[in-house]
Amino acid sequence: MRSPRRPCCCSTRRSAAAVLNEDPGLRVHERREDGAVVLALTVRNPVALRGFVLNLLDRAELLSPERMRQDLIDSLIAMAGEEAP
């Protein structure tokens, strides 16, 4: 089994409290001046991570690792039926 990855996900001020209330075990890596939080996540299931980020719509962004971020972008482009840039 591969070791878990440590992606970072940024949640905006509007969704930070709700995300942290839903799962108090999430590790806050950074709190930003605007109220956003950066979460350091242990991921064993990349598909579940994608669902977590997409569930937050425009209130979250997958910051790293770059490969997982690009996979998310590529899947969104495919869902929209567009070609990747």
Side-chain angles (χ1 to χ4, degrees):
M1 179 179 198
R2 292 187 295 184
S3 62
R5 300 174 190 99
R6 285 267 182 211
C8 288
C9 177
C10 181
S11 178
T12 65
R13 177 186 54 79
R14 292 183 305 159
S15 62
V19 168
L20 295 173
N21 285 336
E22 185 174 322
D23 188 347
L26 291 173
R27 185 174 145 246
V28 176
H29 178 71
E30 174 188 348
R31 290 186 186 271
R32 296 188 172 173
E33 288 183 22
D34 65 357
V37 294
V38 176
L39 305 171
L41 306 169
T42 298
V43 174
R44 291 181 178 82
N45 182 342
V47 175
L49 174 65
R50 183 180 298 166
F52 173 77
V53 174
L54 292 176
N55 186 52
L56 294 169
L57 301 172
D58 64 338
R59 298 178 311 260
E61 177 182 0
L62 183 59
L63 302 174
S64 64
E66 183 58 34
R67 185 186 57 73
M68 291 179 87
R69 179 181 165 87
Q70 191 59 53
D71 286 349
L72 178 61
I73 292 168
D74 292 345
S75 69
L76 289 169
I77 289 170
M79 283 189 272
E82 299 176 13
E83 291 187 26

